[in-house]
Amino acid sequence: MAPTMRRTALLAAVTALVAGALVWPAARQAQAAPAVFVHPGVTVSKGQLDLARTQVQAGAQPWKGAFDQMLASKYADLNRTPAPRATVECGSYSNPNYGCTDEREDAIAAYTDALAWYITRDSRYAQKSIALMDAWSAVIKDHTNSNAPLQTGWAGSSWAKAAEIVKYTYTGTWPNSGRFATMLRDVYLPEVINGSNSNGNWELTMMEAAVGISVFLEDRTSYDKAMAKFRTRTAAYVYLASDGALPKTVPSQNLDTTAKIVGYWQGQSTFVTGLTQETCRDFTHTGYGISSISHVAETSRIQGQDLYGTDVGERLRQALGFQSKYQLGTAVPSWLCGGTLNLGLGPVTEVGYNALHNRLGIAMTNTQALTLQNRPAGSNNLFVAWETLTHGDNAG
C-alpha cells in the first residue's frame, strides 16, 4: 500500500473510532457472543437453580419463604387457562389493552411453572409451562399500537427465561419447541432488536428480551447487536461523574444541546453519580431500567463475559445505591427533581445486589437494607418475578 493510501486509511480508522463506529478490542470482546452458548443461561444459571432447589428442600431462608410465595401466586396455578391472541394491541400505558396483560402474565406464569418444575421435579409444572408456551406459539402473529415494542420486550423477556429452563432441564418432551423458537424469531425479535428512542427503560427492556431470545435461538449476530445497544443505552441511562458535565447520549436521539439533554432527563439539570434518566419521572420506571441492566449483565456473565467489572457494573451499583437511599426515606434535597420524588422502585434489587455484594464483595449499605426489607421479592406483573428465590444470596 502506498504511503498516501496508508495515511488515508489510518485517518479513516481514527475518524471512525472517534465517531464510535469502531470499538477497541477489549470493548468488542466484552460484548461478543460466546462460541458456545450456555444453557439454561438467561438471567439464571443451572448453578443458581441448583442452589435454590437445595435450599428450598432444606427449608432454609430466604429461599423457602420465596418459594412458598411463588407457589401460592396466581402464576403457579395449574388450572390457569392461557389467553393467546393473533394480534396483541397495546397503546400507551396499555390503553387499549387487547391481550397485553394476558400475554405478559401468561409469560410470567410459564416462567413460574418452569421454576416450580425445577425445584419440585413435579412434571405437571413443566407440562403447564409448555402448554402456555404452545398456546401462544400457535396463535400470535404481531404486536401493534404505540406500546408494541415495550410490550414485546416485557413478554419476550419472560418467555426466554421459561423456555431456557424447560428445554434444557425438563426430562420429558416438548414437541413444539421448534414452533416456539420460530415465534421468538419471527414475532418477537424483529420488534425489539432495533431498539427505541423513547425513555431509556424501553430500550433496556427490549435489549433484555433480545439478548435472552438470542441465547435461546443461539443467534450470535443478534446477541452481539443487542449487547452493543445495551451497553450504549446503559451508559446513557445512569450518570457517573466520570462522564463529564453532561450525561452520555445515544447518537440516534440527537440530544446535541444541554437543553435537549436536560429535557430528556425530566428537567433535571444537576447531574450526580447514580442519577438515572428517569429518576425525576418516577422510581417505578427507573426500576424497570435498573432491573433490565441487571438481567442483561447476569445473562452475559453466565455466557462467559462478565460485565460487572466494566462501567455497566459501576453504573448498576451506583443506580441501585442512589435510588435505594431515597426509597428508604432519605430527605430529598431541593436540587433533586424539584425536591419531590415519586417512589416505588419495585422488586428489582436482588440480582444486582447479589452480583455486586455477594459475588464481588462490594459494600452496598442502602441497597442491602432495601433488599432485605423487601424480601421475599415477588413480581411486578410485567417482567420481573421471584428474584429472592433465584438470586437472593445466591452467587452461583
Side-chain angles (χ1 to χ4, degrees):
M1 183 182 290
T4 301
M5 293 176 67
R6 281 199 298 270
R7 284 196 299 270
T8 301
L10 178 60
L11 178 60
V14 170
T15 301
L17 181 61
V18 171
L22 295 180
V23 183
W24 288 115
R28 184 185 297 117
Q29 181 183 9
Q31 67 192 36
V36 178
F37 283 97
V38 176
H39 304 289
V42 176
T43 305
V44 60
S45 68
K46 186 178 185 300
Q48 288 170 321
L49 290 168
D50 286 339
L51 187 143
R53 180 171 189 255
T54 298
Q55 298 289 47
V56 169
Q57 289 180 323
Q61 300 298 351
W63 304 274
K64 182 59 165 63
F67 175 73
D68 289 345
Q69 173 198 42
M70 181 186 81
L71 218 58
S73 75
K74 64 182 180 180
Y75 296 114
D77 183 0
L78 289 170
N79 293 314
R80 182 182 187 86
T81 302
R85 285 174 176 258
T87 300
V88 173
E89 181 180 355
C90 307
S92 181
Y93 292 92
S94 295
N95 182 23
N97 182 340
Y98 299 129
C100 315
T101 302
D102 291 336
E103 179 188 32
R104 294 193 305 264
E105 295 194 350
D106 277 350
I108 292 173
Y111 176 53
T112 300
D113 289 327
L115 290 173
W117 141 253
Y118 197 91
I119 290 169
T120 66
R121 292 302 196 269
D122 183 337
S123 62
R124 293 178 302 164
Y125 287 108
Q127 291 162 7
K128 188 64 179 181
S129 183
I130 288 170
L132 291 163
M133 291 188 282
D134 282 355
W136 279 88
S137 69
V139 173
I140 190 166
K141 299 298 181 187
D142 198 12
H143 296 86
T144 63
N145 215 319
S146 59
N147 254 34
L150 182 59
Q151 170 73 19
T152 309
W154 282 335
S157 296
S158 296
W159 286 135
K161 289 187 291 188
E164 276 286 296
I165 294 173
V166 170
K167 182 174 181 180
Y168 292 100
T169 74
Y170 179 45
T171 50
T173 60
W174 182 10
N176 291 315
S177 63
R179 187 179 73 194
F180 185 81
T182 298
M183 176 193 82
L184 293 182
R185 181 181 296 108
D186 294 349
V187 179
Y188 287 79
L189 191 57
E191 188 70 45
V192 296
I193 191 64
N194 292 316
S196 165
N197 287 326
S198 185
N199 282 301
N201 82 88
W202 277 51
E203 187 163 82
L204 288 167
T205 300
M206 291 163 68
M207 292 310 105
E208 176 186 344
V211 166
I213 289 168
S214 296
V215 170
F216 184 73
L217 298 177
E218 297 193 328
D219 183 337
R220 300 182 80 251
T221 300
S222 294
Y223 184 97
D224 284 345
K225 181 176 181 178
M227 196 63 73
K229 283 187 175 294
F230 165 77
R231 295 202 67 178
T232 298
R233 175 60 68 177
T234 298
Y237 194 71
V238 182
Y239 176 80
L240 299 178
S242 57
D243 293 337
L246 295 170
K248 292 180 178 293
T249 62
V250 175
S252 60
Q253 293 191 259
N254 298 312
L255 300 173
D256 51 8
T257 68
T258 299
K260 287 182 182 178
I261 292 172
V262 169
Y264 187 59
W265 282 63
Q266 321 296 326
Q268 177 70 11
S269 58
T270 300
F271 301 103
V272 296
T273 293
L275 183 79
T276 80
Q277 181 256 315
E278 296 186 275
T279 297
C280 294
R281 180 186 184 188
D282 59 63
F283 273 28
T284 300
H285 286 88
T286 297
Y288 300 164
I290 291 173
S291 182
S292 286
I293 292 171
S294 67
H295 292 167
V296 175
E298 195 72 355
T299 297
S300 180
R301 180 192 68 84
I302 295 166
Q303 298 303 327
Q305 296 290 347
D306 197 335
L307 295 180
Y308 291 114
T310 71
D311 77 298
V312 171
E314 180 63 7
R315 292 179 197 278
L316 177 60
R317 179 175 80 90
Q318 296 292 350
L320 282 168
F322 186 86
Q323 266 63 221
S324 293
K325 176 175 66 174
Y326 292 107
Q327 184 67 40
L328 288 166
T330 295
V332 183
S334 59
W335 57 263
L336 177 61
C337 309
T340 301
L341 292 171
N342 296 313
L343 303 178
L345 193 60
V348 302
T349 64
E350 288 278 16
V351 176
Y353 170 72
N354 179 60
L356 296 164
H357 178 75
N358 295 324
R359 193 178 295 130
L360 298 182
I362 300 171
M364 300 176 70
T365 305
N366 289 314
T367 305
Q368 180 176 30
L370 184 62
T371 300
L372 297 180
Q373 175 182 297
N374 288 343
R375 284 182 174 172
S379 175
N380 70 355
N381 304 310
L382 298 173
F383 70 107
V384 178
W386 323 126
E387 293 182 349
T388 298
L389 174 63
T390 56
H391 291 80
D393 301 335
N394 186 346

